[in-house]
């Protein structure tokens, strides 16, 4: 009451709602013009509208006699747009830019809150607006000028071409038949920008006639802004309560109602879910969760649910994997559907997902590459399968997301046996479809279903590897001693046996010995690098005789030097492979069979003028340590040494580089006259191309 007394009412004004121009009245907002010029002074040449889109185009005359108008610029624009000829299709018939087009855009999507008000004789008359449009200058004439310019250039380049030359421009046309459009593809196409633009372009323009401010027709239409017959007693539309009148004058915004959060159509609350039949409840839960222990499923269904009925229903929509229930593939991919990634039909997707589920019945780990190689599906589909039931582990693979449910397996052996029979049938189908090998099918299945999967830690793997190495070492030493004894008994002229002969060992803590296990078949019966029949060099306690070191170094240097002059860039892994092949080609008893360690090989590489390139490999690379060591020949003595050095400097900062970056850097460092053949020669020496990018040799990670 105190506030009302402080703010007294000065005047009461009657408000009327005019409906004569309802859904016809638009508000146009023009660009700012000088204060001396109003839009009433501008001559409107034409107007047109697209009612559905609420899009308007107005063509207004430009005052060419105004002192601020640049006549030379107007003539130049008209010449660029129309050229020298003038006809009916010309944009500017006066050879002068004397008009400009304004195109509209919607200022607000919902204008139900806005109205045009007219005050007259103590009465305020309101007319709701149907649209608010902002008019901005349209520069389509510049597009016409560009088109004319391109036509003139094409005419100048074409010259007087003969008919024979025109016939040579015939191009082959490839006819392709598109596959039937799916519902998802149709929805994406309808919502695309191109489709919406096409629909907007299909609506025809409606030409309008413009009347000036002082025209009699304008004065007549202006009268419709006032409420007609508001003084009559029978007009009871506005005889309403204040709240009803306010609601009618300012209805609630449709946008605000649409912005209220709504649950997706496929999501049900737990209260709604429990009103459905039990089978439907289980199907919806399994379809959304995908993997669930039986105890969790019972908890979601609520107390009092019969476990026997749940078991009967869950077997219709899910399969047992490691004691947990995984939703069936045909529930996720119903018939007549397809993959959103590749368009593959549901039948093929179900087979691929069944293969992933079957792999998890064999082991807790699945390798994505193996699944992709067998199923021949795109990586996105395979990733979806794995994400349904497993979790990715770095450098290990995909692990089943839930632990083995031993309680369910012990309590329900009959269900487990029935599920095993189902998996045997699925396995038979997969074997026929994917041509799986017999030895990869049965051995792990029984073990995986009946007992907890065996997990081996990294420390256990290392201990097992060490034990295996010790066992192999002992066997090799015994074999060597036996062969030496046979040599002594068969050849009396042979050298006397040296006691305590040991197989050459490298310090494990400092440098690991070079791995030659992959090439044992190429060593022609060598035992630890020595031929059993003859061996001029016998290492004693892992050391060479003094006079043999120089010969070994010379032979090794010759091999490294010749290899890098051919290859230019090698990883340590590739160099070791080539060295093993070189050993296999040598005659028995060669000096290089005395035993070459990784450290000796790397030192010799650096001694021959090569440098190690510190390539910044990706953080998550799966390459071995030997594959991460990259060596390159720094100086070969030819004309391309500088080019190769610049290239190697580029790869010391980037793991992969585009060709244009390489060519730009080479041109900057080696001169602008570098041609394509020289760049190709340098790239061929040091790099390989993969997926449009260039990598140093041996560094591509597949």
């Amino acid at each position: 009451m105190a506030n009302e007394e402080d703010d007294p009412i000065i005047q009461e004004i009657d408000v009327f709602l005019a409906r004569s121009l309802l859904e016809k009245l638009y508000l146009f907002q023009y660009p700012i013009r000088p204060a001396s010029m109003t839009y009433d002074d501008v001559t409107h040449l034409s107007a047109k509208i697209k009612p559905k889109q609420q899009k308007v185009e107005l063509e207004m005359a430009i005052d060419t006699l105004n002192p601020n108008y640049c006549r030379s610029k107007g003539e130049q624009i008209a010449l660029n747009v129309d050229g020298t000829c003038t006809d009916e299709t010309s944009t500017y018939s006066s050879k002068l830019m004397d008009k400009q087009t304004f195109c509209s855009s919607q200022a607000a999507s919902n204008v139900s809150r806005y109205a045009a008000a007219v005050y007259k004789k103590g009465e305020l008359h309101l007319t709701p607006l149907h649209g608010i449009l902002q008019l901005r200058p349209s520069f389509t004439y510049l597009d016409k000028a560009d088109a004319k310019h391109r036509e003139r250039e094409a005419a100048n380049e074409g010259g007087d071409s003969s008919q024979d030359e025109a016939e040579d421009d015939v191009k082959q046309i490839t006819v392709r038949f598109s596959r039937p459009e799916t519902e998802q593809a149709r929805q994406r196409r309808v919502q695309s920008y191109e489709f919406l633009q096409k629909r907007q372009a299909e609506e025809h323009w409606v030409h309008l006639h413009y009347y000036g401010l002082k025209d009699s027709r304008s004065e007549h239409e202006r009268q419709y802004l006032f409420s007609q017959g508001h003084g009559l007693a029978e007009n009871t539309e506005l005889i309403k309560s204040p709240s009803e009148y306010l609601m009618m004058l300012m209805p609630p915004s449709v946008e605000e109602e649409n912005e209220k959060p709504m649950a997706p159509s496929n999501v049900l609350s737990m209260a709604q879910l429990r009103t459905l039949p039990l089978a439907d409840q289980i199907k919806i839960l399994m379809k959304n969760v995908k993997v669930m222990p039986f105890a969790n499923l019972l908890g979601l269904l609520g107390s009092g649910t019969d476990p026997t009925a749940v078991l009967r229903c869950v077997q219709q929509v899910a399969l047992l994997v490691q004691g947990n229930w995984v939703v069936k593939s045909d529930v996720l991919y119903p018939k007549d559907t397809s993959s959103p990634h590749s368009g593959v039909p549901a039948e093929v997707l179900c087979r691929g997902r069944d293969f992933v589920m079957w792999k998890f019945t064999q082991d807790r780990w699945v390798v994505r590459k193996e699944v992709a190689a067998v199923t021949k599906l795109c990586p996105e589909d395979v990733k979806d399968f794995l994400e349904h039931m497993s979790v990715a582990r770095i450098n290990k693979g995909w692990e089943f997301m839930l632990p083995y449910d031993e309680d369910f397996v012990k309590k329900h052996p009959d269900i487990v046996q029935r599920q095993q029979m189902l998996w045997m049938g699925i396995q038979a189908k997969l074997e026929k479809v994917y041509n799986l090998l017999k030895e990869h099918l049965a051995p792990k299945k029984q073990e995986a279903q009946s007992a907890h999967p065996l997990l081996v830690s990294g420390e256990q793997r290392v201990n097992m590897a060490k034990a295996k190495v010790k066992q192999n070492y002992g066997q090799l030493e015994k074999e060597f001693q036996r062969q030496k004894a046979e040599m002594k008994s068969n050849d009396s002229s042979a050298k006397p046996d040296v006691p305590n002969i040991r197989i050459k060992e490298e310090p494990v803590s400092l440098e690991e010995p070079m791995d030659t296990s992959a090439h044992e078949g190429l060593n022609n019966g060598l035992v630890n690098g020595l031929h059993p029949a003859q061996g001029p060099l016998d290492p004693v306690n892992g050391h060479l005789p003094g006079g043999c070191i120089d010969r070994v170094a010379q032979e090794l240097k010759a091999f490294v030097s010749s290899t890098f002059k051919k290859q230019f860039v090698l990883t340590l892994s590739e160099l070791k492979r080539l060295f093993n092949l070189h050993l296999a080609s040598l005659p028995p008893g060669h000096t290089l069979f005395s035993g070459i360690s990784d450290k000796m090989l790397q030192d010799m590489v650096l001694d021959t003028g090569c440098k190690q390139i510190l390539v910044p490999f990706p953080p998550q690379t799966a390459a071995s340590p030997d594959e991460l060591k990259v060596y390159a020949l720094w100086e070969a003595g030819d004309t391309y040494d500088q080019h190769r050095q610049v290239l190697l400097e580029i790869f010391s900062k980037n793991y992969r580089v585009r060709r244009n970056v390489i060519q730009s850097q080479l041109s900057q460092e080696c001169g602008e006259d570098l041609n394509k053949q020289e760049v190709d020669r340098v790239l061929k020496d040091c790099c390989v191309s993969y997926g449009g990018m260039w990598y140093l040799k041996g560094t591509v990670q597949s």
Side-chain angles (χ1 to χ4, degrees):
M1 294 297 293
N3 293 336
E4 292 180 359
E5 293 176 357
D6 295 339
D7 189 12
I9 298 175
I10 298 176
Q11 183 181 2
E12 292 186 358
I13 301 174
D14 294 333
V15 180
F16 300 93
L17 181 65
R19 303 178 60 88
S20 300
L21 297 180
L22 191 66
E23 298 183 358
K24 298 178 183 178
L25 187 61
Y26 288 86
L27 174 64
F28 288 177
Q29 296 177 343
Y30 289 87
I32 298 175
R33 283 181 174 267
S36 59
M37 182 185 297
T38 64
Y39 280 97
D40 301 333
D41 303 327
V42 178
T43 303
H44 288 68
L45 301 178
S46 65
K48 54 184 180 180
I49 184 173
K50 287 186 176 182
K52 292 182 180 179
Q53 303 176 34
Q54 293 191 7
K55 185 176 182 181
V56 175
E57 278 192 7
L58 298 179
E59 196 172 76
M60 299 183 183
I62 299 177
D63 185 9
T64 58
L65 300 178
N66 191 293
N68 296 325
Y69 180 79
C70 182
R71 190 174 185 85
S72 62
K73 190 67 176 177
E75 292 176 351
Q76 183 64 41
I77 292 175
L79 181 63
N80 293 339
V81 175
D82 298 327
T84 56
C85 61
T86 56
D87 51 19
E88 295 180 355
T89 60
S90 298
T91 305
Y92 305 112
S93 58
S94 62
K95 295 185 179 181
L96 192 68
M97 184 180 178
D98 55 358
K99 58 185 177 181
Q100 187 170 8
T101 303
F102 288 82
C103 187
S104 70
S105 61
Q106 293 189 24
S109 58
N110 181 21
V111 295
S112 59
R113 294 178 176 271
Y114 300 93
V118 179
Y119 181 77
K120 183 179 180 181
K121 296 180 181 180
E123 297 176 350
L124 186 65
H125 298 259
L126 301 179
T127 303
L129 292 177
H130 188 59
I132 301 177
L133 304 179
Q134 292 180 346
L135 294 173
R136 295 182 175 88
S138 175
F139 300 98
T140 53
Y141 61 89
L142 296 178
D143 297 335
K144 295 180 181 179
D146 291 340
K148 290 281 186 181
H149 180 68
R150 287 193 293 268
E151 289 177 2
R152 287 193 293 267
E153 286 186 347
N156 294 334
E157 293 177 359
D160 297 331
S161 59
S162 63
Q163 185 176 358
D164 296 337
E165 292 178 348
E167 292 177 356
D168 293 339
D169 294 337
V170 177
K171 296 181 179 180
Q172 182 180 358
I173 298 177
T174 303
V175 180
R176 296 181 179 178
F177 298 93
S178 60
R179 67 180 64 181
E181 187 179 32
T182 61
E183 181 63 22
Q184 293 178 346
R186 190 192 68 81
Q187 292 178 359
R188 288 196 297 269
R189 180 177 59 82
V190 170
Q191 296 174 0
S192 65
Y193 175 78
E194 181 181 1
F195 182 82
L196 295 177
Q197 289 293 103
K198 183 179 179 181
R199 288 192 58 183
Q200 291 179 2
E202 289 175 353
E203 185 179 357
H204 298 290
W205 287 102
V206 178
H207 290 274
L208 306 175
H209 185 74
Y210 176 80
Y211 295 94
L213 178 65
K214 300 178 181 179
D215 192 276
S216 59
R217 179 65 182 269
S218 298
E219 182 64 28
H220 176 74
E221 292 292 333
R222 199 176 298 117
Q223 296 301 318
Y224 289 114
L225 294 174
F226 298 96
S227 177
Q228 304 296 322
H230 57 272
L232 300 178
E234 59 270 13
N235 188 9
T236 59
E237 185 176 0
L238 295 182
I239 304 177
K240 297 181 180 295
S241 64
S243 59
E244 293 176 341
Y245 174 69
L246 183 62
M247 181 65 67
M248 184 175 62
L249 184 63
M250 298 182 63
S253 174
V254 179
E255 290 181 348
E256 293 181 358
E257 295 178 358
N258 292 337
E259 289 175 359
K260 294 180 180 179
M262 297 178 61
S265 59
N266 62 337
V267 175
L268 297 175
S269 65
M270 293 304 296
Q272 293 173 323
L273 183 67
R274 288 173 182 172
T275 60
L276 301 176
L278 181 61
D280 293 339
Q281 294 183 44
I282 295 174
K283 183 177 181 179
I284 292 173
L285 287 173
M286 292 304 306
K287 188 175 180 179
N288 284 275
V289 182
K290 296 181 178 61
V291 182
M292 196 186 312
F294 184 71
N296 291 14
L297 180 61
L298 282 178
L300 291 174
L301 294 174
S303 58
T305 306
D306 184 11
T308 305
V310 175
L311 277 174
R312 184 170 58 252
C313 294
V314 76
Q315 294 181 69
Q316 299 175 4
V317 296
L319 292 170
L320 193 66
V321 179
Q322 299 191 23
N324 301 279
W325 291 100
V326 181
V327 64
K328 289 183 177 180
S329 301
D330 54 3
V331 176
L332 291 180
Y333 304 107
K335 192 177 180 181
D336 299 330
T337 60
S338 59
S339 167
H341 303 296
S342 59
V344 174
E347 182 181 359
V348 180
L349 292 176
C350 290
R351 286 202 303 262
R353 188 173 180 277
D354 287 345
F355 176 76
V356 175
M357 294 170 63
W358 171 79
K359 289 291 292 182
F360 277 117
T361 64
Q362 305 292 300
D363 196 0
R364 283 196 61 83
W365 298 88
V366 168
V367 180
R368 179 176 173 179
K369 290 184 178 179
E370 180 183 351
V371 176
V374 173
T375 59
K376 302 296 189 298
L377 292 172
C378 72
E380 289 79 6
D381 289 333
V382 175
K383 185 179 180 182
D384 285 349
F385 300 158
L386 293 169
E387 288 179 342
H388 289 170
M389 61 194 82
S390 58
V391 180
R393 306 295 186 191
I394 299 176
N395 296 331
K396 289 186 178 181
W398 292 76
E399 183 185 12
F400 193 73
M401 63 171 56
L402 296 179
Y404 192 86
D405 194 348
E406 294 183 356
D407 294 338
F408 181 83
V409 172
K410 292 178 181 178
K411 292 180 181 179
H412 306 280
D414 54 336
I415 302 295
V416 174
Q417 184 178 4
R418 189 179 302 120
Q419 289 293 312
Q420 287 178 359
M421 296 176 64
L422 289 175
W423 277 118
M424 290 176 63
I426 295 174
Q427 175 181 323
K429 293 180 180 178
L430 295 175
E431 182 180 356
K432 292 180 180 179
V433 173
Y434 296 127
N435 296 323
L436 301 178
L437 300 177
K438 291 285 186 181
E439 56 268 21
H440 298 306
L441 297 178
K444 296 182 181 179
K445 180 170 179 131
Q446 193 71 18
E447 180 181 341
Q449 289 287 357
S450 60
H452 195 286
L454 179 61
L455 299 177
V456 181
S457 64
E459 184 178 357
Q460 291 175 336
R461 291 175 183 270
V462 173
N463 294 335
M464 292 168 61
K466 288 182 178 179
K468 189 174 181 180
V469 169
K470 290 181 180 179
Q471 181 181 1
N472 294 339
Y473 174 81
Q475 293 176 355
L476 288 174
E477 187 173 15
K478 290 179 181 179
E479 181 67 18
F480 180 75
Q481 294 289 353
R482 183 184 64 78
Q483 292 180 357
K484 294 293 290 184
E486 290 180 356
M487 290 171 57
K488 183 177 180 181
S489 61
N490 294 336
D491 189 2
S492 58
S493 62
K495 296 187 300 180
D497 190 14
V498 181
N500 298 327
I501 294 179
R502 295 174 58 86
I503 298 176
K504 183 177 183 298
E505 297 179 4
E506 291 291 335
V508 177
S509 60
L510 297 178
E511 188 72 28
E512 293 184 359
M514 183 166 57
D515 183 13
T516 59
S517 59
H519 308 281
E520 290 177 355
L522 303 176
N523 288 339
N524 299 326
L526 301 176
V527 179
N528 197 37
L530 295 176
H531 197 274
Q534 53 184 350
L537 299 176
D538 289 338
V540 180
N541 293 329
H543 301 283
L544 291 172
C548 300
I549 297 177
D550 293 339
R551 282 185 293 165
V552 172
Q554 291 175 1
E555 292 287 342
L556 185 59
K557 185 174 183 179
F559 162 76
V560 172
S561 179
S562 62
T563 302
F564 272 93
K565 285 183 179 180
K566 296 177 183 178
Q567 302 290 338
F568 291 96
V569 176
L570 286 170
T571 62
L572 180 59
S573 175
E574 180 65 10
L575 181 61
K576 289 163 63 175
R577 187 186 71 83
L578 295 176
F579 181 70
N580 282 320
L581 293 175
H582 179 65
L583 287 179
S585 64
L586 296 177
H590 196 275
T591 55
L592 289 180
F593 288 141
S594 57
I596 304 298
S597 67
D598 288 1
K599 189 175 186 305
M600 293 172 60
L601 190 61
Q602 295 178 69
D603 291 343
M604 186 57 67
V605 169
L606 299 177
D607 291 340
T608 54
C610 299
K611 289 188 178 181
Q612 184 174 358
I613 310 301
L614 301 178
V615 180
F617 285 88
Q620 301 297 335
T621 181
S624 63
D626 287 348
E627 293 174 340
L628 297 178
K629 295 180 180 179
V630 183
Y631 297 91
L633 182 61
W634 195 252
E635 293 182 359
D638 56 11
T639 58
Y640 295 95
D641 277 346
Q642 183 184 2
H643 305 76
R644 280 191 289 266
Q645 291 171 10
V646 173
L647 181 64
L648 295 174
E649 289 291 342
I650 294 174
F651 280 98
S652 65
K653 301 175 183 177
N654 300 279
Y655 168 62
R656 55 183 181 181
V657 189
R658 294 190 180 275
R659 180 190 173 93
N660 58 351
V661 177
I662 296 174
Q663 186 151 359
S664 175
Q665 191 72 17
L666 287 174
S667 300
Q668 182 179 353
E669 297 289 337
C670 305
E672 295 293 335
D673 56 345
L674 194 68
N675 55 35
K676 182 178 181 297
Q677 289 75 14
E678 292 175 334
V679 176
D680 291 340
R681 167 67 186 276
V682 176
L683 290 175
K684 182 180 179 182
D685 290 344
C686 304
C687 304
V688 293
S689 177
Y690 183 79
M693 304 292 289
W694 288 88
Y695 303 76
L696 280 182
K697 289 181 179 178
T699 62
V700 180
Q701 304 297 322
S702 59

